[in-house]
Amino acid sequence: MKITASIVTFNSADEIEKVLVSLLKHNLEMDNIYVVDNGSSDGTTEIVKKKFDGVNLIETGKNIGFGAGHNLALKSVQSDYHIFINPDIIVEEGEIEKMAAYMESHKDVVVMTPKILNLDGTEQFVPKKRPKFKYIFAGRFEYKFKWCYKLRSEYTLRDVVINEPTEIDCCSGCFMFCRTSVLLDVNGFDERYFLYFEDADLTRELQKYGKAMYVPNCSVTHAWHRDVTHSNKARKIALRSMFQYFRKWRGKK
């Protein structure tokens, strides 16, 4: 069984070493890991070259987007499973092996996401249902209005106790464990999304071939940087992606 992984970086010098060190504690060899750098200016690529010489480094020279970056890695991948990983993710020893074992014993599952943890060990509630405008709107004001908090909780299943693997509508792009053959069948990410909503879109494409699952007995830690709440540029990108997503999937189950 072969597992590959790709990480798309953009000024990720503070994070890239930690995630690579954590991955190398598993059965992932350096030549099975791809770092796609989208034109970093903070020394990210220098860290990879100096400390992780065996890792496949792809330098785009400019920011081509999240999905497009991962797709560059997919062009070279030959594996049973492929993992999309954010640079701000840490994976503890044994977790990837648990995920692979789950996928091996559940051939009808094409993509899974583990429990996502904050740095303090609490659960990070990321979307598990398909995006709807009401959920996106509520996310902007979830801590200001009770009804927005309730809608956001519905979107992320925050108030649902999930102790067993559960089928979901959306896997988080911060960490997606995928069956490589199906990824290649759907041609990876839709590159019309520069950033945001590409994970919801890919999950739906993959679900044409099998199940998407949330597996809570596996976990990763995510130092979440939610740019969309702080940057006008990020908000515009998110809105553009949102409209692209709703146009594409309008009227489809």
Side-chain angles (χ1 to χ4, degrees):
M1 175 176 49
K2 183 177 179 181
I3 302 172
T4 50
S6 57
I7 305 162
V8 173
T9 55
F10 178 67
N11 293 332
S12 306
D14 293 338
E15 302 161 336
I16 189 62
E17 184 172 352
K18 292 177 184 177
V19 64
L20 288 176
V21 167
S22 78
L23 289 178
L24 292 171
K25 292 178 181 178
H26 302 270
N27 291 329
L28 271 75
E29 298 179 5
M30 282 196 180
D31 61 357
N32 291 335
I33 301 173
Y34 295 78
V35 174
V36 182
D37 186 75
N38 272 345
S40 293
S41 58
D42 67 344
T44 298
T45 56
E46 286 74 13
I47 292 171
V48 177
K49 291 174 183 176
K50 181 178 180 180
K51 298 188 176 183
F52 304 95
D53 185 50
V55 165
N56 297 288
L57 176 62
I58 302 171
E59 297 182 69
T60 66
K62 60 181 181 179
N63 194 346
I64 63 173
F66 179 87
H70 279 297
N71 284 351
L72 281 180
L74 280 180
K75 291 180 179 179
S76 303
V77 163
Q78 293 182 331
S79 61
D80 300 294
Y81 303 106
H82 186 76
I83 315 171
F84 298 120
I85 308 176
N86 271 18
D88 55 358
I89 288 283
I90 299 295
V91 189
E92 298 297 333
E93 285 190 62
E95 293 301 316
I96 287 178
E97 289 78 5
K98 285 162 59 178
M99 296 178 212
Y102 176 81
M103 295 290 281
E104 283 285 286
S105 60
H106 296 81
K107 299 297 184 181
D108 58 338
V109 177
V110 293
V111 58
M112 61 148 288
T113 191
K115 182 181 289 187
I116 311 295
L117 301 176
N118 292 303
L119 292 173
D120 62 3
T122 58
E123 184 171 355
Q124 190 173 104
F125 294 101
V126 295
K128 297 180 182 70
K129 301 188 78 171
R130 287 178 179 167
K132 294 181 180 180
F133 180 76
K134 65 179 182 179
Y135 295 147
I136 308 307
F137 179 82
R140 291 283 309 278
F141 304 102
E142 65 176 306
Y143 295 111
K144 292 185 178 180
F145 304 106
K146 288 183 178 180
W147 65 272
C148 288
Y149 185 87
K150 183 178 179 181
L151 279 174
R152 183 71 184 180
S153 296
E154 181 180 313
Y155 187 32
T156 63
L157 304 183
R158 178 162 37 201
D159 297 329
V160 180
V161 177
I162 305 176
N163 295 319
E164 300 292 335
T166 301
E167 191 168 2
I168 56 176
D169 296 327
C170 179
C171 289
S172 172
C174 72
F175 192 100
M176 298 177 76
F177 196 107
C178 309
R179 208 171 288 278
T180 305
S181 60
V182 183
L183 269 181
L184 297 178
D185 283 341
V186 303
N187 297 312
F189 286 101
D190 185 334
E191 296 184 12
R192 288 176 291 181
Y193 302 92
F194 180 81
L195 186 63
Y196 306 116
F197 289 87
E198 67 286 301
D199 49 0
D201 181 271
L202 179 60
T203 301
R204 291 186 75 158
E205 294 289 358
L206 294 172
Q207 284 174 314
K208 295 175 182 177
Y209 295 82
K211 294 180 180 179
M213 300 293 293
Y214 169 67
V215 184
N217 61 310
C218 305
S219 65
V220 298
T221 300
H222 183 207
W224 197 10
H225 305 302
R226 200 177 178 194
D227 293 339
V228 71
T229 63
H230 302 293
S231 162
N232 286 331
K233 181 180 179 181
R235 289 193 189 100
K236 290 178 181 178
I237 293 171
L239 282 172
R240 193 178 305 122
S241 294
M242 180 184 72
F243 289 123
Q244 166 64 32
Y245 176 87
F246 289 142
R247 278 196 304 269
K248 178 176 178 178
W249 294 102
R250 181 171 48 202
K252 298 178 183 179
K253 293 183 178 180

